[in-house]
Amino acid sequence: MATTASSLLLKTSFAGARLPSATRAPSCVATPRAGAICNSISSSPSTPPYDLNAFKFSPIKESIVSREMTRRYMTDMITYADTDVVIVGAGSAGLSCAYELSKDPSISIAIIEQSVSPGGGAWLGGQLFSAMVVRKPAHLFLDELDVEYDETEDYVVIKHAALFTSTVMSRLLARPNVKLFNAVAVEDLIVKDNRVAGVVTNWALVSMNHDTQSCMDPNVMEAKVVVSSCGHDGPFGATGVKRLQDIGMIETVPGMKALDMNTAEDAIVRLTREVVPGMIVTGMEVAEIDGAPRMGPTFGAMMISGQKAAHLALKALGRPNAIDGTIKNAIPASNPEMVLAAINNSDIVDA
């Protein structure tokens, strides 16, 4: 193929470079150490391009609506039955991973999310509060997405977590090489020759009702790489690593330790890796398999762990990536934290 790798890949903040921001009027005024004072963006009401007093929709047959939804969804199921990367879980780590992966248009990505509403716990900050705290230098990822924040010396604050989640989701889902299958659960893994080779899927509501009905067999989705971002333990949490333990591919899942933000976030990024052939673990599920501390309501590690998982997947697929340096972006001296340390499978966090 004559097309160069650099022409295929969009720029990334992963190695310290920032995507150009969209042109817009400044909405934030920086203040020394006190953060940024963001002014609300206002605009004058304008006349819609239609008459609101006599609005009328174009006619349509009900069957056309049904056919459009069914045809497109079934086409997606056929297309992604055999795909490059399946990401299990569409929380902040899974979405960040998918966003980073989708910059390579040659990679096809299927995201499986058991909830109707993707985003996981990233719609709110801690204790159902609105603001999202992100420690530096993970704010570079927010710059790439053009998400506004208030800034202090060591961290930034997004006024509502939903601003991050909705932005990364809208940017991601607009790309042609990504499909989100929400309201779909992963019930099991496909394993061939001791390598994870895909996932076993079913409608989430079916998965929750196996005990109330007769046998309802699943479907399957083959993949060259599976990224498990199922979060910490819970009803649908840490299902990837727990299944690996069930089938004897890993020995233990010790669970995450008590909260320590400073230890936890570094550990989550550092220990994001391919835990068994064909399966990469990212986000809070990393804490479950390694016994790392939980970090509580700070979200930078989720974003950067997701980005790292994406580049690990790109490496596994033989594509340019920031793990082995085949993406030749210079790393600014002011951001040495963005350099990734090599990971050994034996690394365990000591809280």
Side-chain angles (χ1 to χ4, degrees), residues 4-321:
T4 64
S6 60
S7 66
L8 284 174
L9 297 172
L10 300 177
K11 291 181 180 179
T12 172
S13 67
F14 194 72
R18 173 181 171 177
L19 279 178
S21 298
T23 303
R24 63 179 184 182
S27 59
C28 291
V29 179
T31 58
R33 299 295 300 274
I37 302 172
C38 289
N39 304 314
S40 61
I41 300 174
S42 61
S43 60
S44 301
S46 59
T47 302
Y50 33 73
D51 186 354
L52 293 175
N53 293 315
F55 189 91
K56 187 175 178 61
F57 287 100
S58 299
I60 195 168
K61 287 174 60 68
E62 283 80 0
S63 59
I64 290 176
V65 176
S66 177
R67 288 192 181 107
E68 285 291 347
M69 292 189 301
T70 304
R71 176 176 59 83
R72 291 167 187 268
Y73 198 90
M74 293 302 140
T75 299
D76 286 335
M77 291 184 72
I78 293 168
T79 301
Y80 288 93
D82 187 357
T83 191
D84 291 319
V85 182
V86 167
I87 299 173
V88 185
S92 50
L95 290 174
S96 298
C97 178
Y99 172 82
E100 191 75 12
L101 269 174
S102 68
K103 295 174 184 177
D104 187 334
S106 71
I107 304 298
S108 60
I109 305 130
I111 311 168
I112 311 297
E113 168 55 47
Q114 61 88 18
S115 176
V116 171
S117 55
W123 289 109
L124 292 167
Q127 199 170 316
L128 305 183
F129 297 159
S130 300
M132 173 183 276
V133 177
V134 177
R135 294 166 61 203
K136 292 181 176 181
H139 71 297
L140 296 175
F141 187 52
L142 302 177
D143 289 345
E144 179 177 325
L145 292 170
D146 210 18
V147 173
E148 294 181 349
Y149 50 72
D150 296 333
E151 184 171 10
T152 70
E153 183 177 6
D154 296 319
Y155 63 89
V156 301
V157 183
I158 306 169
K159 71 175 184 178
H160 201 298
L163 282 172
F164 163 74
T165 304
S166 60
T167 301
V168 69
M169 201 180 306
S170 62
R171 300 284 179 86
L172 165 67
L173 296 181
R175 290 177 175 164
N177 55 335
V178 180
K179 171 62 182 179
L180 169 65
F181 294 93
N182 45 331
V184 175
V186 169
E187 294 189 330
D188 205 348
L189 301 171
I190 300 172
V191 179
K192 299 178 181 180
D193 299 323
N194 207 39
R195 179 182 180 86
V196 175
V199 295
V200 179
T201 63
N202 216 325
W203 306 122
L205 289 175
V206 171
S207 292
M208 297 168 67
N209 283 278
H210 281 307
D211 294 337
T212 66
Q213 303 292 325
S214 60
C215 179
M216 295 174 283
D217 282 332
N219 207 337
V220 295
M221 190 176 290
E222 291 187 279
K224 298 179 180 69
V225 178
V226 173
V227 178
S228 189
S229 56
C230 298
H232 53 69
D233 199 11
F236 281 90
T239 53
V241 296
K242 286 190 289 189
R243 186 56 179 151
L244 291 179
Q245 183 186 22
D246 289 343
I247 61 179
M249 294 187 74
I250 59 175
E251 292 184 2
T252 62
V253 179
M256 64 181 177
K257 293 185 179 179
L259 192 149
D260 179 346
M261 286 184 182
N262 290 289
T263 301
E265 290 208 279
D266 291 346
I268 293 300
V269 176
R270 182 168 59 88
L271 294 170
T272 297
R273 66 193 186 279
E274 187 176 25
V275 293
V276 298
M279 184 164 151
I280 296 164
V281 175
T282 184
M284 283 307 301
E285 196 167 9
V286 174
E288 292 289 335
I289 193 173
D290 284 314
R294 62 191 301 176
M295 79 277 299
T298 54
F299 288 82
M302 299 299 96
M303 301 169 191
I304 308 305
S305 173
Q307 281 193 303
K308 182 177 179 181
H311 284 268
L312 288 165
L314 289 169
K315 180 182 177 183
L317 294 168
R319 298 295 299 157
N321 63 88

